[in-house]
Amino acid sequence: MSEQISTQPSWPFREAERVAARLKQKGKTEALFETGYGPSGLPHIGTFGEVARTSWVRKAFTDLTGLPSRLLAFSDDMDGLRKIPDNVPNKEMLKHHLGKPLTKVPDPFGKFESFGEHNNNMLQDFLNEFGFEFEFASSSDYYASGRFDNALLHVLAHHDAIVEIIRPSLGPERRASYSPILPIHPRTGIVMQVPIDQVDVEHGTVFWTDPDTNTKYETAVTGGAAKLQWKADWAMRWHALDVDYEMSGKDLIDSVKLSSAIVRALGTEPPVCLTYELFLDDKGQKISKSKGNGLSVEQWLTYAPKESLGQFMYHAPQRAKRLFFDVIPRATDDYIAAVAALPTAEKPHENPAWHIHGGELPEHAGSPIGFTMLLNLASVINADSPEMLWGFIRAYIPGANAETYPFLARLVHHAIVYNRDFVAPKKQFRAPGEVERGALLDLAESLKANEMVQYPGATPAEQLQNLVYAIGKRHPFAPLKSWFDCLYQVLLGQVEGPRFGGFIALYGIERTIALVETALARSVEAA
RNA sequence: GAGCCUGUAGCUCAGUGGUAGAGCAUUCGACUUUUAAUCGAAUGGCCGUGGGUUCGACCCCCACCGGGCUCACCA
């Protein structure tokens, strides 16, 4: 293997170059990209990352070579159900199906023919939600349809060589019993991990013994009567489908090595592989679904647009990254900056937005205001409706609205949710003192009496500001600033706040009165 | 035991073989009938340590030290 020094600066293009070299060497004119899915879990943030990154390499490949390609999303749904997942109903029912292929286990959710089909549908819905272009493939279908038969017979012919490859990696107990071929028990339907007594290459069968009954069986390796242990399965798939590219997490480094050795034993060069680093939580621990640490896709999409998740996944896949709430605003602003830079970029291929949007920005992409700024603004004015934020936004971008700035509109939505969930709950509402109480009552009464009409010739916000200011003056505040401190701390629960007249104008007079009365009532209860 | 990532400003992190960068934090200033948002500026770094390659190294190579992860049953 001669690794040429790449002329491509961005990693998707560097990867695409490697794929192109492989195709050239093999004389192929179409590239097959694969992403694989374990059967155990539902789609998660790593799934998104893997498909997004693979899609970027694929797009770069197209751009580089002009050759056609496919992305196969392969579900290993023939794998046996090993343990009952925590997050599913009907656990009792599932107990009776342990060890069977997932596509033979009834759907605990009762929506599909099998648990495997359920997971497959979740996966496809998940990928479609992001607009990925892919072909779905079910391992069970491939096995049952005979599509793997030739490759399986090929594996059988190399059975001993494969055993020798895997054996050194196993502990002493497994070493004795290992075989890459797992027959499906003809009576119980369970995927059997048993020693293979004998291999009959000519007839395409294996002989094995049921450890419970001591019954001897002969099982065909073809047609779905048996499946392969996973590392051999991976290698067989590479061989059978002639996969050109597949990436995987660093936890699979050893598997990639072994599967590569196996596929070579089968006479096929392994695909171009990329190992990416895993995601860590804020404390540097590996993110795992069972621990529930880190961030879920749902959480990310609650607080920021999906494009920002792409931005996060784009940067340096081979570097470990912490994935927790604090990275969301930055990823979003990085994305916004990338979009802004793309139209005039000298090297667009180095711009994440080019990859995220498949080479072409959609109309009205990007935002004239950063997400961090919006979050600050939402916090300061305690925004709980989009219109409140738009009111302030228009002070800087006259006429801005959701139609002219659709992406900004999405950011506004997320900023409000972020404020509601993270900022608002932490607010500390102070009880008003004697003087403050009087002034606040005065404010509520004055607002009810519509007193700001006494200051004509100004905008409503200015009139309201005048009113607030006048109230502060006719109560013994020293200095006057403490009156405004009182408003922020007692009414909004924060140390600092917006210009209050403008706030009332946007928040609404009735609602402001209610806010004052709530604060006064709260302090009475506390006392 | 094997493998991988990582060490750059107070914090979180970018970075290219050619004079060290951003955001936040800090300080100052501008705007504001009080603030805040915002805008402008400043402060701040033997780029982990020691060698090597090079005209030149934060970058490439080696060693060491520190931080962390993954695999060592299953997938």
Side-chain angles (χ1 to χ4, degrees), chain A residues 16 44 60 75 90 102 113 133 164 182 211 213 247 268 282 294 299 329 414 418 444 449 461 467 481-482 505 511:
Chain A
H44 53 101
S75 168
N90 291 314
L102 284 159
E113 285 298 305
E133 187 191 313
E164 286 313 308
L182 313 176
T213 63
M247 61 174 66
T268 298
D282 55 339
Q299 288 171 312
H414 289 299
Y418 191 98
L467 173 66
K481 182 180 181 303
S482 63
R511 292 179 69 193

Side-chain angles (χ1 to χ4, degrees), chain A residues 279-296 299 323-324:
Chain A
F279 300 107
L280 312 175
D281 68 7
D282 55 339
K283 297 185 190 82
Q285 302 291 306
K286 179 195 175 188
I287 285 180
S288 82
K289 283 163 283 172
S290 56
K291 265 196 252 173
N293 58 346
L295 263 187
S296 71
Q299 288 171 312
L323 178 51
F324 58 111

Side-chain angles (χ1 to χ4, degrees), chain A residues 397-419:
Chain A
I397 310 166
N401 60 51
E403 279 74 41
T404 50
Y405 292 97
F407 186 73
L408 176 56
R410 289 164 64 198
L411 294 179
V412 164
H413 162 77
H414 289 299
I416 289 164
V417 176
Y418 191 98
N419 182 62

Side-chain angles (χ1 to χ4, degrees), chain A residues 118-185:
Chain A
H118 171 268
N119 289 349
N120 289 344
N121 274 276
M122 298 297 287
L123 173 68
Q124 291 174 76
D125 288 350
F126 177 82
L127 296 181
N128 284 325
E129 192 183 321
F130 291 100
F132 291 121
E133 187 191 313
F134 67 98
E135 294 169 36
F136 177 77
S138 153
S139 183
S140 297
D141 287 352
Y142 273 49
Y143 269 99
S145 69
R147 208 163 163 177
F148 281 152
D149 282 359
N150 283 339
L152 289 166
L153 291 171
H154 199 55
V155 165
L156 194 61
H158 296 78
H159 182 270
D160 293 350
I162 293 169
V163 169
E164 286 313 308
I165 290 168
I166 295 289
R167 199 170 260 167
S169 72
L170 299 173
E173 293 152 31
R174 290 281 170 199
R175 204 169 290 183
S177 67
Y178 179 84
S179 166
I181 293 169
L182 313 176
I184 312 293
H185 199 297

